[in-house]
Amino acid sequence: MATSVWTHMSMISPCPRYNSLGVGCPALPPGQAIDYNESSPIASGGVALQPFCKYATPWPTPAARWTAGQSITVDFAEYGSEHDGGMCEWSLSYDNGTSFVVINRVLGRCFFDAQNNHVFNYTFTLPANVPGSDSAIFAWSWVNAMGNREFYMNCADVVIDGTSESFSGPQMTVLNYPGYPSVPEFMGNYSTGLEYYNNAPTITVYAKANQTTTSTTTSMSADPPQSSPPSTMT
């Protein structure tokens, strides 16, 4: 019997694609297999190990159904290594994973609170003006603070009930993945790489998936701000 190897962090609810630890997971798509390495990064040491979202084929039925404006909770497996925190984002895609707009961030020491206690779930409000969709992708992405330079990403297929036609927000930041900037280990400096998040382009996503646009562009290589402490986006 295959078993999971808990070495990193993994989202478990809403259930990511094919995740062996997932809660309330749909049936597998035909021809796909359970992922027992669900906590593995999608890139490590400058090498791409998997595509964004880890898997391209969505669940045949949604892993969750939400309403724009409601409170949602995202759960993580409690057996992984948090690698001293890092940068976490939660994003939505309306174009089958071509672009992701950020709806929440914890920057600096993700998976730890102000008292240095471990955090394995995050609750935040789904913006009231995100568009409705019967095939949205909800993504968690993470740049670890300590260890090999890696990029993590889990994706869940969700239905969103809403009436808005568009939503604007930061584009998901990608680091330590081939073709994107790399950042070193934080070594206690939890603002490492923060400039990429602060300068992320603003994109607008639409209820019709083929209309994603970039409305504001800022160079990923811009100089870091003078004073930008780790922050939480709400």
Side-chain angles (χ1 to χ4, degrees), residues 77-234:
E78 298 186 10
Y79 306 97
S81 171
E82 305 93 334
H83 290 283
D84 201 30
M87 309 296 196
C88 285
E89 292 187 314
W90 291 267
S91 310
L92 290 172
S93 176
Y94 288 83
D95 54 11
N96 198 34
T98 299
S99 60
F100 287 87
V101 63
V102 176
I103 58 171
N104 194 63
R105 286 170 163 171
V106 177
L107 302 180
R109 294 212 74 201
C110 190
F111 303 119
F112 294 90
D113 65 16
Q115 289 73 45
N116 207 37
N117 298 310
H118 299 282
V119 176
F120 295 109
N121 57 72
Y122 286 95
T123 298
F124 52 89
T125 299
L126 190 66
N129 57 333
V130 295
S133 174
D134 61 2
S135 58
I137 300 174
F138 174 75
W140 158 71
S141 54
W142 174 41
V143 173
N144 52 311
M146 181 180 68
N148 294 336
R149 306 322 302 141
E150 296 170 332
F151 186 71
Y152 295 78
M153 189 176 186
N154 290 164
C155 293
D157 300 287
V158 300
V159 169
I160 299 175
D161 296 316
T163 58
S164 174
E165 290 299 319
S166 65
F167 175 77
S168 297
Q171 181 173 275
M172 181 185 76
T173 296
V174 180
L175 299 172
N176 300 333
Y177 194 93
Y180 294 85
S182 297
V183 293
E185 287 190 86
F186 290 14
M187 305 299 289
N189 176 10
Y190 299 104
S191 291
T192 300
L194 188 63
E195 65 271 19
Y196 295 114
Y197 295 85
N198 287 342
N199 295 321
T202 296
I203 64 171
T204 300
V205 296
Y206 295 88
K208 291 183 174 58
N210 62 352
Q211 295 186 27
T212 301
T213 62
T214 302
S215 57
T216 303
T217 58
T218 305
S219 172
M220 295 281 290
S221 60
D223 291 334
Q226 294 299 308
S227 179
S228 296
S231 61
T232 300
M233 174 181 175
T234 58

